[in-house]
RNA sequence: GGCCGUGUACCCAAGUGGCCCAAGGGAACGGAUUGCAAAUCCGUGAUUCGUGGGUUCAAAUCCCACCACGGCCUCCA
C-alpha cells in the first residue's frame, strides 16, 4: 500500500513518510502530551486526537507505529516567559486550587489527595486525563496500560536530562551563567529558527511582551534558553552538578524521545503553539547533543481550535474540557469526530451545532452497522446456505469498494473530510446484493481510523443515572396516557421531558429517547 | 516589525488549471411516515468560490494589489 503523505512544518512540504527503520516500520512517533496542572480542554484534545488519527492512518497502511506521548508532571513556572524561570510554580497554583475545592467539598468523590504534594496533584490530573483520553479513543492511552513506558513522566527522566545538559556543556553548546543557571547557547546552532522562521536576527526581544531586559542580563543572547535552574526553594527539585534545582521545560521531550524512540525519530507532533519556542529548542538541544542531520523527519502541528468563532483561552474562560461536554450528554464519538473532522492545518471552529451535525452522521453509520449485523445474524439463523454462497461470490458492495478511496483520502495529508464523504456516498448506494459480512468488515475497517462506532453512547455518571430513572418514570406515565388515547396528557409529559433535555421518539418497536445537547 | 495560516451556499466543509453551471454533512423547504411530533427514508438546494485587476483557449484553483479574520514571536495544544 502506498505510504502516507504528510505536511512537514520544517520544510513546508508534503512528503511521504519513510520510516527510518525501513518500509516495514515501525514508525517512531513522539507527541507532546498534556501538562497535568488541570484538566485537559478540547483544544488540547484536538491536537492529541489528530496525532491519534495520524497514527491510525499509518496503521491502516499496514505499518506499525510506536507512539509515545509524554505527560508533563514537572511543575514549571507561571512566568517561564522570563526564560530563566520566575513567577510561581504551576503545580503550586494547582495545589492551592485543589485545597480550596477540598475545603468547599467540590472535589469529586474518592479524590482524597494532599494538595501540598506536587506529585500527588500531577497523578490526580494524569489519571483524569487518561480517563478522558480512553473515552475519546486515544490509542496510546489504552496501550499505556500494558506498557507504562509509552506515556513517560519527566520526573522519572531527570538523570537523562542532566546527562544531556552535561553533554551540551562539554560540546560547547551550553554555559553556566553568572546567576548559576545553565543556558543553551543559541548562537552555537546555526539552524536555530528554521522551524518557526524566528531566526535570531528576526527575533524581537520581548515582542511577546513577556521578556524584560532585566532578566536577560545574565544571558549571552536574549534567545538563549534555560536548561537547568538551580533553585533550592523550588517545589520539585533534584540534585545536579549545578546545584539542586529543576530542568528547563524543553529538555524533557528531547531526553525522553531519545531514550524511548532513538536519537532520530520519524514523527514529532504538537499544537501550533509548540512550534516556537518549544520545538525549536528541542531541535537545537537534540541535534547539538546527538549530532546527526535531523531530530524528527516530520513535524506535525495542529492549528488551534476556536470556540463558537472566538479564540479559546484559559483567561477568557470560554473553554470546555472533555468532561464538561460528557456531562452534558455529548457522546465521546461526537466529540472525537468534531475535533478531528476539520483539517489539522486550518483553525477549526468548535460549535455545539457542529457537534450535533456530527452526531447525526455517526448515528447513521451506527445504524448501518447494526442493520448489517442483523442481516448476518438473520442469514445464520435461517441456515441460508444458498444465500451465503451467493454473497461469497457476489461482487464487492459499495462499502467494500469505498475502502480504497477512504484510505487514499487519509493518506493524502489526512484529508478526513474527503474520507468521510467517501463513506457517506457509499452508504447512500444500493447494497441489497452485497455480502453483509464483507460490508460490515469494510465499515469496521474505516472505523479503525475514525474510531467512533464503539463510543457512541453518553458517558454514564450519577447525574445521567438520575436522569434515566426520571425519564423511565415519565415515559411509563406517557405510555399509559397514549394507551388511553389521552393525547393532551401524553403531550404534557412529552413537554416535561423536553424541558429535561430529552427528545422522545415513538417507533414501531416502542418508544426510545435521546439527550439533546444544549 | 518578522514568520505562518485562512476567506467556497444559512452553518460546518472538500476541491490546488479543463472530469466544477463546485463533493459530503447539517439546517431549511417539499413528499412519505406519525394521534400530533421527533427520528427515519426520498427529493429540492451555490451559473458561483472575500474584493478588484491580470495570465491563459480554459481559473475557486496561477500572478499582483487590496480588504477581513486567526495563530506564533519565550505560560499555552
Amino acid at each position: 500500500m502506498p505510504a502516507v503523505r504528510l505536511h512537514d512544518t520544517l520544510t513546508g512540504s508534503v512528503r511521504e513518510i519513510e520510516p527510518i527503520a525501513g518500509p516495514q516500520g515501525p514508525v517512531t512517533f513522539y507527541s507532546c502530551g498534556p501538562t497535568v496542572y488541570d484538566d485537559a480542554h478540547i483544544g488540547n484534545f484536538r491536537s492529541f486526537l489528530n496525532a491519534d488519527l495520524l497514527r491510525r492512518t499509518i496503521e491502516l497502511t499496514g505499518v506499525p507505529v510506536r507512539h509515545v506521548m509524554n505527560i508533563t508532571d514537572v511543575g514549571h513556572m507561571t512566568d517561564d516567559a522570563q526564560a530563566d524561570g520566575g513567577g510561581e510554580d504551576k503545580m503550586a497554583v494547582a495545589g492551592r486550587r485543589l485545597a480550596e475545592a477540598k475545603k468547599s467539598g467540590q472535589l469529586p468523590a474518592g479524590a482524597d489527595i494532599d494538595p501540598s504534594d506536587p506529585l500527588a496533584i500531577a497523578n490526580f490530573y494524569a489519571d483524569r486525563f487518561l480517563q478522558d483520553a480512553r473515552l475519546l479513543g486515544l490509542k496510546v492511552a489504552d496501550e499505556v496500560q500494558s506498557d507504562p513506558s509509552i506515556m513517560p513522566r519527566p520526573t522519572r527522566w531527570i538523570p537523562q536530562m542532566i546527562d544531556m545538559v552535561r553533554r551540551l556543556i562539554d560540546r560547547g553548546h551550553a554555559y553556566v551563567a553568572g546567576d548559576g543557571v545553565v543556558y543553551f547557547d543559541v548562537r552555537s546552532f546555526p539552524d536555530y529558527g528554521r522551524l518557526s522562521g524566528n531566526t535570531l536576527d528576526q527575533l524581537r526581544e520581548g515582542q511577546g511582551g513577556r521578556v524584560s531586559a532585566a532578566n536577560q542580563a545574565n544571558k549571552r543572547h536574549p534567545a538563549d534558553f534555560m536548561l537547568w535552574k538551580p533553585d533550592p526553594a523550588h517545589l520539585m527539585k533534584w540534585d545536579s552538578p549545578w546545584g539542586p534545582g529543576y530542568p528547563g521545560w524543553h529538555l524533557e521531550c528531547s531526553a525522553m524521545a531519545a531514550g524511548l524512540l532513538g536519537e532520530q525519530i520519524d514523527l514529532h507532533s504538537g499544537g501550533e503553539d509548540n512550534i516556537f519556542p518549544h520545538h525549536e529548542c528541542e531541535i537545537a538541544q537534540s541535534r547539538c547533543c546527538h549530532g546527526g542531520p535531523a531530530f524528527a523527519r516530520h513535524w506535525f502541528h495542529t492549528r488551534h481550535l476556536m470556540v463558537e468563532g472566538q479564540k479559546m483561552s484559559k483567561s477568557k474562560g470560554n473553554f470546555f474540557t472533555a468532561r464538561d461536554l460528557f456531562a452534558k450528554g455529548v457522546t465521546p464519538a461526537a466529540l472525537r469526530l468534531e475535533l478531528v473532522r476539520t483539517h489539522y492545518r486550518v483553525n477549526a471552529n468548535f460549535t455545539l451545532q457542529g457537534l450535533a451535525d456530527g452526531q447525526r452522521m455517526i448515528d447513521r453509520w451506527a445504524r448501518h452497522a447494526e442493520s448489517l449485523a442483523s442481516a448476518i445474524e438473520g442469514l445464520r439463523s435461517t441456515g441460508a446456505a444458498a444465500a451465503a454462497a451467493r454473497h461469497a461470490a457476489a461482487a464487492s458492495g459499495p462499502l467494500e469498494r469505498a475502502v480504497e478511496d477512504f484510505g487514499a483520502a487519509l493518506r493524502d495529508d489526512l484529508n478526513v473530510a474527503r474520507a468521510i464523504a467517501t463513506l457517506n456516498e457509499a452508504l447512500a448506494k444500493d447494497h441489497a446484493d452485497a455480502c453483509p459480512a464483507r460490508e460490515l468488515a469494510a465499515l469496521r475497517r474505516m472505523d479503525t481510523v475514525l474510531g467512533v462506532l464503539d463510543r457512541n453512547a453518553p458517558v454514564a455518571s450519577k447525574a445521567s443515572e438520575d436522569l434515566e430513572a426520571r425519564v423511565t418514570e415519565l415515559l411509563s406515565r406517557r405510555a399509559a396516557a397514549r394507551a388511553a388515547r389521552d393525547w393532551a396528557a401524553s403531550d404534557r409529559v412529552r413537554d416535561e421531558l423536553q424541558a429535561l433535555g430529552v427528545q422522545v421518539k415513538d417507533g414501531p418497536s416502542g418508544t426510545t429517547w435521546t439527550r439533546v445537547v444544549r
Side-chain angles (χ1 to χ4, degrees):
Chain A
M1 192 174 292
V4 177
R5 292 170 52 77
L6 187 73
H7 180 267
D8 167 31
T9 311
L10 184 62
T11 58
S13 61
V14 176
R15 294 195 322 276
E16 279 194 6
I17 295 172
E18 295 175 62
I20 294 166
Q24 303 307 309
V27 167
T28 47
F29 185 9
Y30 185 94
S31 289
C32 283
T35 51
V36 283
Y37 320 122
D38 205 347
D39 287 326
H41 56 69
I42 55 175
N44 302 127
F45 274 113
R46 167 146 130 113
S47 154
F48 305 147
L49 286 173
N50 269 108
D52 183 71
L53 194 82
L54 172 59
R55 72 84 58 99
R56 284 169 181 255
T57 297
I58 297 168
E59 286 170 343
L60 189 73
T61 68
V63 177
V65 178
R66 180 159 166 80
H67 189 193
V68 166
M69 180 180 281
N70 65 302
I71 293 182
T72 295
D73 60 353
V74 173
H76 293 293
M77 308 308 278
T78 51
D79 291 345
D80 260 353
Q82 299 186 354
D84 52 354
E88 199 174 2
D89 188 305
K90 289 185 205 166
M91 211 57 91
V93 177
R96 215 171 43 231
R97 198 178 55 238
L98 280 173
E100 271 161 33
K102 202 171 178 179
K103 224 181 284 172
S104 58
Q106 307 234 303
L107 268 193
D112 186 26
I113 67 163
D114 175 1
S116 66
D117 176 357
L119 259 184
I121 296 165
N123 288 335
F124 171 74
Y125 282 116
D127 286 347
R128 286 164 69 91
F129 170 76
L130 288 172
Q131 284 168 20
D132 293 347
R134 278 175 202 137
L135 285 167
L136 287 168
L138 207 67
K139 257 182 142 172
V140 71
D142 270 324
E143 289 173 334
V144 73
Q145 298 181 95
S146 56
D147 180 2
S149 75
I150 220 147
M151 295 190 81
R153 314 268 174 116
T155 49
R156 299 169 201 171
W157 284 77
I158 303 296
Q160 290 88 338
M161 291 190 231
I162 288 173
D163 195 49
M164 276 191 84
V165 177
R166 192 183 290 123
R167 287 177 69 177
L168 286 167
I169 293 174
D170 289 350
R171 288 170 169 242
H173 290 293
Y175 59 93
V176 181
D179 52 2
V181 176
V182 185
Y183 290 106
F184 184 90
D185 178 2
V186 289
R187 281 177 303 189
S188 74
F189 181 62
D191 275 352
Y192 191 85
R194 250 185 80 202
L195 181 74
S196 61
N198 289 330
T199 51
L200 293 180
D201 50 317
Q202 302 288 13
L203 259 178
R204 275 189 161 199
E205 183 182 340
Q207 191 59 37
R210 290 190 280 262
V211 179
S212 65
N215 290 306
Q216 304 292 350
N218 292 304
K219 297 195 278 184
R220 292 180 186 166
H221 187 280
D224 287 353
F225 55 92
M226 180 188 113
L227 294 173
W228 190 269
K229 165 105 169 175
D231 180 3
H234 196 254
L235 196 55
M236 282 180 169
K237 58 179 182 293
W238 295 266
D239 282 331
S240 85
W242 314 280
Y246 60 97
W249 72 287
H250 311 302
L251 204 52
E252 59 185 58
C253 294
S254 286
M256 298 190 294
L260 292 166
L261 296 173
E263 294 181 353
Q264 224 193 109
I265 62 176
D266 290 310
L267 301 172
H268 194 131
S269 78
E272 64 171 317
D273 55 321
N274 280 154
I275 297 171
F276 191 89
H278 188 51
H279 290 163
E280 195 73 76
C281 295
E282 275 185 51
I283 291 173
Q285 289 162 355
S286 292
R287 287 192 46 204
C288 290
C289 184
H290 303 130
F295 170 35
R297 288 198 172 183
H298 263 92
W299 287 89
F300 175 80
H301 291 108
T302 298
R303 301 244 157 233
H304 275 186
L305 181 73
M306 317 279 283
V307 172
E308 304 287 353
Q310 287 245 302
K311 183 188 171 183
M312 177 167 76
S313 69
K314 292 194 175 181
S315 56
K316 250 186 194 163
N318 69 337
F319 71 94
F320 294 101
T321 64
R323 319 171 77 88
D324 292 340
L325 293 166
F326 295 154
K328 282 170 174 280
V330 174
T331 64
L335 183 55
R336 179 179 165 95
L337 189 67
E338 174 68 2
L339 292 177
V340 123
R341 69 204 290 211
T342 303
H343 190 81
Y344 70 91
R345 275 192 288 125
V346 176
N347 289 123
N349 186 22
F350 176 88
T351 61
L352 254 27
Q353 180 61 52
L355 218 42
D357 293 356
Q359 183 65 66
R360 293 178 76 108
M361 211 156 39
I362 295 164
D363 286 344
R364 189 174 326 118
W365 301 339
R367 272 198 308 279
H368 271 260
E370 273 165 41
S371 82
L372 286 168
S374 63
I376 295 166
E377 193 45 48
L379 285 172
R380 188 175 298 144
S381 59
T382 58
R390 197 177 72 240
H391 283 143
S396 301
L399 286 170
E400 215 177 336
R401 276 179 278 127
V403 170
E404 174 47 35
D405 283 349
F406 180 90
L410 288 171
R411 272 180 262 131
D412 181 13
D413 197 26
L414 294 188
N415 193 333
V416 197
R418 210 172 81 215
I420 290 172
T422 304
L423 168 54
N424 283 327
E425 276 169 356
L427 241 33
K429 283 184 187 145
D430 176 42
H431 57 282
D433 295 325
C435 169
R438 275 153 56 201
E439 286 294 273
L440 182 58
L443 182 54
R444 283 272 163 201
R445 181 154 173 76
M446 293 189 256
D447 190 55
T448 60
V449 180
L450 297 174
V452 292
L453 290 180
D454 295 324
R455 45 184 57 84
N456 193 27
V459 177
S461 66
K462 177 75 174 76
S464 71
E465 279 164 29
D466 291 350
L467 178 72
E468 195 166 330
R470 178 96 181 101
V471 169
T472 306
E473 183 214 322
L474 286 168
L475 280 183
S476 64
R477 259 172 54 198
R478 178 162 173 274
R482 294 184 77 215
R485 304 186 75 79
D486 182 353
W487 307 126
S490 161
D491 289 352
R492 266 200 308 280
V493 178
R494 188 166 64 197
D495 289 345
E496 227 177 298
L497 284 161
Q498 213 127 39
L500 289 173
V502 168
Q503 184 63 253
V504 178
K505 305 175 201 176
D506 298 319
S509 53
T511 299
T512 57
W513 61 281
T514 49
R515 280 182 72 177
V516 180
V517 175
R518 289 178 297 189

